[in-house]
Amino acid sequence: MAGGGGQELKLLGTWTSPFVTRVKLALSFKGLSYENLEEEDLYHNKSELLLRSNPVHRQVPVLIHNGNPICESQLIVQYIDEAFSSANGPSLLAAEPYERAVARFWGAYIDDKLLASAFQAGRAKTEEEKAEALKRTFAAVETLEAAFEGISDGKPFFGGDSVGYLDIVLGGLVPMVYYGEARHGIKLFDGTRSPLLEAWVERFGALDAAKAVLPDVHELVEHSKMKRA
């Protein structure tokens, strides 16, 4: 990866987190090098560095830029785009204020609706709870499918011909999409409900900058089995 102009970047995270993957994608597409600190034990032994860097939520990811911590994955992606606007790689957020606002709106939708309900389905204690959460998840998928059609305007990515902010935000979920199918037989995006997003997942995952950081799905499945055991 290209350097950050002599600027020190450290990323606190865990390799299984879609939110950490999201930040790695932004760094990868920007061509930025960084120190990857992935040894965080979020359940039993959080590091002093993490607790100092994110004392409010005590969660990853945290990007530390020249000693200054930035928390929350979407805010980190926005920060990377603004702080390294002259770096190699595409500008992730559009220059036009309305387009930037639209991207931020749908970024929040991905986390607050799609991802939140998908997590609820995975953690459901009863089949009823799981079915209700999946119903909300697939409704969110259909809404996002329509949004992609409008925002991309027939082009391959949310950002148009090149990857943009929403591609990075949703890109962090790509391993989870394959994991859900492999582990639970649940296909988040399919040719009937969301053919455009199904094609987008394949297209995004094939990009070199994405392949460089996306975790291996088989390893995610094995890690999940080991944790449950």
Side-chain angles (χ1 to χ4, degrees):
M1 287 186 184
Q7 303 186 68
E8 183 185 58
L9 286 170
K10 296 180 180 180
L11 177 61
L12 307 185
T14 60
W15 70 274
T16 58
S17 167
F19 303 107
V20 174
T21 298
R22 178 181 288 166
V23 175
K24 288 181 180 178
L25 285 167
L27 292 164
S28 182
F29 277 95
K30 281 289 190 180
L32 296 166
S33 57
Y34 58 97
E35 184 179 354
N36 188 26
L37 304 175
E38 283 194 327
E39 64 274 10
E40 288 297 336
D41 181 351
L42 300 179
Y43 296 99
H44 305 293
N45 188 27
K46 296 180 182 182
S47 72
E48 285 299 319
L49 181 58
L50 173 61
L51 297 177
R52 287 198 313 270
S53 302
N54 190 0
V56 176
H57 298 300
R58 302 183 171 197
Q59 294 294 331
V60 296
V62 177
L63 181 72
I64 303 175
H65 180 203
N66 289 339
N68 297 315
I70 305 96
C71 308
E72 301 296 311
S73 65
Q74 292 204 36
L75 296 180
I76 295 172
V77 173
Q78 293 172 36
Y79 178 85
I80 290 168
D81 197 42
E82 293 168 358
F84 298 96
S85 58
S86 60
N88 292 334
S91 179
L92 301 176
L93 280 159
E96 206 277 318
Y98 177 72
E99 292 182 14
R100 292 167 76 91
V102 168
R104 288 180 171 123
F105 173 87
W106 286 109
Y109 184 88
I110 288 168
D111 280 1
D112 297 343
K113 297 297 183 182
L114 176 59
L115 193 53
S117 56
F119 276 162
Q120 287 171 357
R123 295 166 180 166
K125 291 181 170 60
T126 68
E127 287 302 317
E128 269 188 359
E129 288 178 0
K130 181 177 179 180
E132 181 57 35
L134 283 175
K135 182 180 177 181
R136 293 195 301 272
T137 302
F138 292 138
V141 166
E142 291 178 4
T143 300
L144 190 62
E145 171 84 356
F148 176 76
E149 184 174 17
I151 294 169
S152 65
D153 195 25
K155 294 181 178 179
F157 301 105
F158 281 99
D161 291 318
S162 62
V163 165
Y165 176 71
L166 286 175
D167 297 288
I168 298 295
V169 171
L170 190 60
L173 275 63
V174 167
M176 197 177 86
V177 170
Y178 290 119
Y179 167 86
E181 186 174 2
R183 184 83 166 94
H184 303 293
I186 298 171
K187 197 167 185 180
L188 190 63
F189 304 136
D190 64 27
T192 301
R193 185 186 305 106
S194 49
L196 297 178
L197 289 176
E198 183 185 44
W200 173 89
V201 168
E202 294 286 339
R203 193 181 304 121
F204 182 84
L207 296 172
D208 288 340
K211 286 192 291 186
V213 297
L214 290 175
D216 181 79
V217 176
H218 175 72
E219 290 181 6
L220 285 174
V221 170
E222 291 305 309
H223 179 266
S224 173
K225 290 178 179 178
M226 186 173 64
K227 277 182 65 178
R228 288 191 178 274

